[in-house]
Amino acid sequence: MGARKKEALEQFNRDNILSAAKELFETKGVEQTTMDDIAKYADYSKSTIYVYFKSKEDIYNSIVEDYTDVLIGELEVCIQDSSDFEDSYYKMCDCLVSFEEKYPKYYASLMGEEKSTNSRKKPILKDDKVGRELTGLIQEFLEKGVASRKIRADIDLQPTVLYVWSAISGIIQVAERKKDELDESLNMNKKEYLRYSFRTFYESLVRR
Amino acid sequence: MGARKKEALEQFNRDNILSAAKELFETKGVEQTTMDDIAKYADYSKSTIYVYFKSKEDIYNSIVEDYTDVLIGELEVCIQDSSDFEDSYYKMCDCLVSFEEKYPKYYASLMGEEKSTNSRKKPILKDDKVGRELTGLIQEFLEKGVASRKIRADIDLQPTVLYVWSAISGIIQVAERKKDELDESLNMNKKEYLRYSFRTFYESLVRR
DNA sequence: GCGATAATCGAACTATTAGTACAATAATAG
DNA sequence: CTATTATTGTACTAATAGTTCGATTATCGC
């Protein structure tokens, strides 16, 4: 078999395994999914799975990387394709919220909860690609704000990037965690609460 | 044996087991600590451990409850013992940061990361005692702000409570996660960054 | 098509760890 | 001293990640 075809076949197998794992991880949860589950669902033997991936962790990490790229790509569009600062901001927020709702487990993982698919082992500290790319994007966003005079030019950009990120991610996290209470005691659904919080934060950010 | 003495003895044993588990959980991590570890360190047989606690989860939950009470108590002091609004705010922030630094695992757990000591099993959704008590405290805090005219009286208190909580917890979480990057690229240590962020947020909160 | 090579499979294996069962032993009450 | 109770040790089960390896099947070069 030609090297080209061989490589393609390998890619095909890897993709099959990954997409099976992806589905199972999303529906059953990562830790509740066993290697035997993945093998069965992907229609390979377990031994073959281990030919293509060295561990469950390895599979998981590959998937997370895919999601990272998707999310970062979407956020880039929000920030770069929009000429208006306020518009960028709300698009960015929406984009993060959608991602969180669609893939909560991966969102949690990307956003820095300790990553481990096998809790008996120490979690591996991975280099924080999302974190770095995200702060890059937010910096770009803030620079746009400064350029359009929405944000004071004398702010200290670097820590403000993190500050903005703290607030946005905090808002999303709390909204998700408290969504049931919101309905009950606040008479406000998650969406409304998010709008309120994002707006409040936006207004605290731009000069009045 | 009198019922009184028996009860005291049981409490003694339970406490011994809990304090051993507490130490191990703090040093090795919860999931890296086995029931055999706990038994050995507490100097009981595993069977006896299971007389006093029905599962590892049970031990863990008892410990978390203790920590919850400690944290809530400390926060109450911050808010209630301080007559100045700004003072309350910074004390509250410091208190949360100290707790996070001292007991990062428990902080993460209290603050809502999925709780499970045995990742093969589905995490149990516990009723969010900290959450409820915390929002109560923050509401009290904001009411003080309104009373002292530091905060506009026409704000919608309920969602603002969550909004404030989002920001503070977000700031702490990001500071912890990025503490290494802070040193390197921002030329700012975690403490300085926290001060900057808490101050920025405080100023966005009070009327100017 | 044929024989060699490589991919895949299946099934049994190890290691780890929560949790259980139970009989033996130690401590205590009366 | 005896009966009860608390504690222990040991050996078990179940679940699951990961390994091993000989058997099987597909594919390639000729």
Side-chain angles (χ1 to χ4, degrees), chain B:
Chain B
M1 179 159 50
R4 148 157 275 93
K5 192 175 169 189
K6 179 176 167 179
E7 219 175 283
L9 198 67
E10 274 173 10
Q11 192 55 53
F12 175 78
N13 288 332
R14 233 189 294 275
D15 286 349
N16 277 335
I17 295 166
L18 281 180
S19 81
K22 207 180 250 189
E23 257 187 72
L24 292 171
F25 285 174
E26 274 167 30
T27 52
K28 303 182 50 168
V30 178
E31 286 167 2
Q32 277 66 53
T33 300
T34 71
M35 290 302 271
D36 288 291
D37 289 340
I38 297 171
K40 197 170 184 181
Y41 194 63
D43 210 41
Y44 289 82
S45 73
K46 193 161 70 153
S47 338
T48 306
I49 304 279
Y50 276 98
V51 169
Y52 288 98
F53 296 92
K54 74 177 224 301
S55 65
K56 188 177 172 187
E57 194 82 34
D58 189 19
I59 294 176
Y60 180 73
N61 288 337
S62 305
I63 295 174
V64 168
E65 242 176 76
D66 289 352
Y67 281 116
T68 303
D69 294 343
V70 170
L71 178 63
I72 295 293
E74 284 176 7
L75 287 172
E76 265 168 4
V77 172
C78 297
I79 289 169
Q80 290 160 357
D81 282 17
S82 188
S83 54
D84 183 47
F85 179 69
E86 186 168 356
D87 199 39
S88 283
Y89 169 79
Y90 285 111
K91 276 186 179 159
M92 191 170 75
C93 293
D94 283 350
C95 176
L96 284 162
V97 170
S98 305
F99 190 85
E100 190 281 328
E101 287 174 346
K102 216 168 178 177
Y103 311 110
K105 308 215 185 252
Y106 292 100
Y107 178 85
S109 176
L110 293 182
M111 293 317 156
E113 271 177 32
E114 307 252 297
K115 309 165 188 46
S116 176
T117 56
N118 178 350
S119 51
R120 306 282 230 293
K121 294 190 176 160
K122 275 216 180 68
I124 299 149
L125 296 177
K126 289 183 42 199
D127 98 306
D128 185 12
K129 187 180 168 192
V130 218
R132 271 178 289 112
E133 305 227 29
L134 225 47
T135 48
L137 284 168
I138 292 177
Q139 179 160 344
E140 221 178 292
F141 163 75
L142 288 179
E143 278 162 358
K144 232 168 94 170
V146 171
S148 62
R149 309 177 50 79
K150 291 275 166 51
I151 285 190
R152 293 204 330 265
D154 64 343
I155 59 153
D156 197 347
L157 205 62
Q158 296 288 334
T160 306
V161 166
L162 287 190
Y163 168 72
V164 169
W165 175 240
S166 299
I168 294 176
S169 63
I171 288 167
I172 293 173
Q173 204 174 318
V174 168
E176 171 59 26
R177 219 150 58 220
K178 304 268 181 192
K179 60 175 178 244
D180 299 328
E181 284 163 64
L182 282 169
D183 281 333
E184 289 166 30
S185 62
L186 279 193
N187 206 33
M188 205 180 211
N189 62 33
K190 186 182 165 188
K191 208 168 186 166
E192 289 163 340
Y193 167 71
L194 281 169
R195 194 167 43 217
Y196 170 86
S197 295
F198 286 142
R199 183 163 39 73
T200 305
F201 184 66
Y202 180 77
E203 279 165 13
S204 81
L205 202 62
V206 297
R207 41 178 176 186
R208 275 165 288 187

Side-chain angles (χ1 to χ4, degrees), chain A residues 76 79-80 85 133-146 157 161:
Chain A
E76 265 167 3
I79 290 168
Q80 290 160 356
F85 179 67
E133 305 227 29
L134 225 45
T135 47
L137 283 168
I138 292 178
Q139 179 159 345
E140 220 178 291
F141 162 76
L142 287 178
E143 277 162 358
K144 235 169 92 171
V146 172
L157 205 61
V161 166

